Every structure is written in structure tokens, then in C-alpha cells.
Amino acid sequence: MISPGPTLETERLILRPTAMEDFPRWAELMADPEASRFIGGPMAAASAWRGFMTMAGAWALTGVAMFSLIERDSGRWLGRIGPWTPLGWPGTEVGWGLHPDAQGRGYGVEAAVATLDYAFDVLGWTEVIHCIDPDNRPSQKLAEALGSSNLGPTALPPPFDTVRVDRWGQAKAEWAENRKRFA
């Protein structure tokens, strides 16, 4: 069963709401110390389940949550990416987290372009941010590739208020210009 919501497609990817079949690889991502380091840290399957269900619930109740990132050719779950607006969040975010075996293959940029288009064109957002740990160079590089700028430190709401993050982002007009690089 798939959560209600849209499906986006790119050359190599399908982006769709969370489905039960995604959980085994979601749990692998969240158990990996390096891959989960900046998205909550390594956790047991029971804790990962709660985050997984949060994403499915956000789709069902708000119509906005991260997409499951699926490799078109294999059907393999690669990660999560997309719009995210938890209560008290410092802005309308497009965030991401990729399974270790999906990193370094350009999937993040390909999926982020599709989700930025979706956020601006369908959701009508006027700004997109990315909350990125100052030590998370791979996410900073992805944000830079998209044309986002580091806007400085920002605060997250509890229980994440002790986590250090920088607010990266861009306005819709900036994305219209930056998007031309991906045409």
C-alpha cells in the first residue's frame, strides 16, 4: 500500500509517496552510522519505523512529505527526498537522505531538481530551504549544485533545538534562473 500523493518521474527515477515495501531499505539507511549521521543518527528498526510512519502520516494528513526515491530500472528504494514542513520548522524545506549504495551517482541532484520544481510550481512555495549540518559537506555540495546559498545558522524546534544547522536556500525567482542549468 502506498500513501496518498503524487508521483514524479525523471530519466532514471520515480519519486512517489512512502510505501510499506520501502521500510527494509529505509531501516538500513537509518542503521548505517555514516549515512544517518546528519538525519537523526543510527537507530534500531523500531525507531526507524516511527520516522517512516511519520513520513507516511504527513502524506496522508497534509499532502506534503518526502518522496520515496525509486530507481526506475530496478525498482530499488534509494532514499527519501522532497518537501518537508514540520511544525515550527524554519521554512519550507526540500530535504534528502540517500541509502549508502545510492550515494555519489547523481541521484540526489536529479531528484532534487524534480522536487524543487514540484515545490515551486505545484505547491506554490516562494522559497525553499535545506537545513544542513555545518559538517555535512556532501549535502552542502548538493545544495550548491542546485544554486542554493548558505544563509547562516538557524534554529530548529524541539526536540531538535540542540542540533546545529545552517539554513541553505533560494527563492522561486532564483530557482527559475538556476533551473536553466538542468534543462
Side-chain angles (χ1 to χ4, degrees), residues 146-161:
L146 297 170
S148 291
S149 300
N150 186 342
L151 305 171
T154 193
L156 298 178
F160 307 107
D161 50 332

Side-chain angles (χ1 to χ4, degrees), residues 44-145:
S47 294
W49 176 258
R50 289 173 183 81
F52 180 76
M53 286 295 155
T54 296
M55 206 60 66
W59 273 116
L61 295 176
T62 69
V64 176
M66 288 190 200
F67 293 97
S68 278
L69 181 58
I70 309 298
E71 187 176 48
R72 184 188 291 267
D73 290 343
S74 69
R76 186 172 54 133
W77 187 89
L78 302 175
R80 62 189 193 197
I81 189 164
W84 187 232
T85 58
L87 184 65
W89 216 244
T92 47
E93 180 169 22
V94 167
W96 47 77
L98 296 177
H99 192 281
D101 64 17
Q103 296 176 11
R105 298 173 182 230
Y107 294 131
V109 171
E110 187 175 333
V113 168
T115 57
L116 283 168
D117 286 346
Y118 179 78
F120 289 126
D121 299 341
V122 176
L123 298 177
W125 290 1
T126 58
E127 175 190 53
V128 163
I129 66 163
H130 322 289
C131 296
I132 302 175
D133 186 291
D135 295 330
N136 188 347
R137 189 64 190 133
S139 280
Q140 293 168 8
K141 287 173 69 174
L142 176 51
E144 289 168 348

